[in-house]
Amino acid sequence: MKKIAFLLFFGLMVSAQNTRVIYEYKFRPDSSKSDSLKTEWMYLDINKNGSKYYSKNSFESDSIVAESIKKQMASGARSISVSRNSQGGEVKDEVEKTYPDYKIYLISSLGNDAYKVLEDRKPEWKISPDKKQISSFKVQKATTDFAGRKWIAWFTTDVPVQDGPYKFSGLPGLIVDVSDETGSHKMELKGIKKIATTQIEDFDTKGKDIPFTRKKPLDVSRKQYLKQLKQYENDPVQGMREILAQPNSKVKINVNGTEISDPKEVLRYMEKDARDEMKKNNNKIELIP
């Protein structure tokens, strides 16, 4: 099956403007637990203007939430119920690249805000003479230091696309496999296919600030983003506190089957959940964001 998918790609490159590269991303979010390894299916959607790298499950979960909210707003509902899919993706961040300048943007949410962060660093690759075969691809080794980790990549010149998963690009071909030297993060190409144009849309909430929904990201520099990241780590419920301070704003959450609506209790549980999540997610892909 892999061979068919790979061989099909060469015909697609000639005729298709939109191509999806599918990667299996294995990562260990908690460095203190050897059994914390997780797997996420990631898409790298490529067209003539650039690429977008994102989680399959997160995209599907966001789409379900958006459709539910649209229906509620169209029906004239006075209150909006938002239910996050328990099977939603672990990876929320996305990466966009533009061609031919290969500018790199991180799309990241912090609390109730989203940011589009222009990356001012690019991987500087050292290409090795080492070569081998991965599935039907002849690949060559390259290494780089990026964002606090040492990375090993295998790329193929059989596919004339100088791109790859996450923020990795700039090699003379498509990245087939890339992993950090600790084995904590590994992205491996699993398939390639032709697709129709995909569009993740931001919808009009008619002035309502609805928690857990996709927001249009604010364009910021990496320095500005790091400032916001620090603020979030110090106070992860600041955005929710601002929402609850608005007139006639109410938020209900479900904790182990119990519905909680008291603002102080909502904030307390949400802050505990956010801090627990940060504690468990101590082995991020970027040790130096």
Side-chain angles (χ1 to χ4, degrees):
M1 187 63 70
K2 286 183 184 177
K3 215 167 187 178
I4 293 174
F6 289 148
L7 292 174
L8 179 62
F9 179 67
F10 299 110
L12 295 178
M13 282 300 296
V14 175
S15 60
Q17 293 299 313
N18 299 284
T19 302
R20 172 167 292 164
V21 186
I22 303 167
Y23 289 93
E24 182 184 52
Y25 175 32
K26 292 186 176 181
F27 59 103
R28 184 171 287 109
D30 189 343
S31 60
S32 66
K33 294 183 178 180
S34 59
D35 61 347
S36 69
L37 190 68
K38 296 187 177 183
T39 300
E40 189 102 352
W41 290 99
M42 306 295 297
Y43 289 158
L44 178 69
D45 288 352
I46 300 172
N47 60 46
K48 62 180 181 180
N49 298 315
S51 67
K52 188 179 188 74
Y53 178 75
Y54 59 99
S55 159
K56 171 183 180 292
N57 282 350
S58 290
F59 171 75
E60 291 174 349
S61 178
D62 287 345
S63 299
I64 291 170
V65 169
E67 192 59 35
S68 172
I69 293 173
K70 285 180 184 178
K71 288 180 179 178
Q72 291 178 69
M73 295 185 73
S75 70
R78 296 181 63 184
S79 61
I80 303 297
S81 174
V82 180
S83 176
R84 295 295 300 182
N85 186 347
S86 61
Q87 300 302 313
E90 294 280 343
V91 181
K92 306 300 182 185
D93 290 350
E94 303 170 357
V95 174
E96 293 181 357
K97 305 186 189 88
T98 58
Y99 301 163
D101 54 6
Y102 281 89
K103 286 185 178 179
I104 302 170
Y105 298 90
L106 173 72
I107 314 298
S108 181
S109 294
L110 297 174
N112 206 40
D113 295 310
Y115 301 94
K116 184 174 183 178
V117 189
L118 176 60
E119 179 59 78
D120 54 8
R121 308 163 295 178
K122 286 189 178 181
E124 296 183 5
W125 297 100
K126 295 180 180 178
I127 297 178
S128 162
D130 297 354
K131 296 181 180 181
K132 65 179 183 180
Q133 190 90 8
I134 296 180
S135 189
S136 61
F137 291 125
K138 295 178 181 178
V139 297
Q140 188 168 354
K141 183 179 179 180
T143 58
T144 189
D145 292 344
F146 183 74
R149 292 187 184 274
K150 295 183 182 295
W151 293 90
I152 301 169
W154 294 90
F155 67 95
T156 179
T157 56
D158 295 340
V159 182
V161 177
Q162 297 181 21
D163 211 335
Y166 196 56
K167 296 180 180 179
F168 300 112
S169 61
L171 287 167
L174 182 68
I175 295 175
V176 174
D177 184 291
V178 59
S179 60
D180 82 306
E181 66 175 2
T182 71
S184 295
H185 297 267
K186 179 179 176 65
M187 288 153 271
E188 183 179 2
L189 192 155
K190 291 296 183 180
I192 309 174
K193 64 179 183 179
K194 179 180 178 179
I195 61 167
T197 302
T198 56
Q199 181 67 41
I200 302 175
E201 59 182 53
D202 301 297
F203 61 92
D204 184 7
T205 59
K206 304 186 187 307
K208 295 180 184 289
D209 196 352
I210 304 174
F212 316 120
T213 57
R214 185 180 183 87
K215 302 290 193 302
K216 185 175 182 179
L218 301 171
D219 289 295
V220 296
S221 66
R222 189 164 65 93
K223 183 178 180 180
Q224 290 170 322
Y225 173 72
L226 292 177
K227 181 179 178 181
Q228 295 300 320
L229 178 60
K230 188 67 174 177
Q231 288 182 2
Y232 174 75
E233 291 172 345
N234 290 334
D235 185 6
V237 294
Q238 178 184 342
M240 181 58 69
R241 188 180 295 107
E242 292 171 353
I243 290 176
L244 288 170
Q246 296 174 6
N248 302 317
S249 179
K250 294 182 180 180
V251 174
K252 294 180 181 180
I253 60 173
N254 191 294
V255 180
N256 299 323
T258 301
E259 194 172 80
I260 297 173
S261 58
D262 177 77
K264 291 183 180 179
E265 286 295 290
V266 168
L267 289 173
R268 186 171 73 83
Y269 275 103
M270 292 191 70
E271 181 170 7
K272 182 181 183 303
D273 185 66
R275 294 200 181 281
D276 286 346
E277 190 65 27
M278 283 190 279
K279 186 177 180 181
K280 289 187 295 184
N281 190 23
N282 57 58
N283 193 31
K284 294 181 180 181
I285 190 169
E286 294 190 17
L287 296 177
I288 303 174

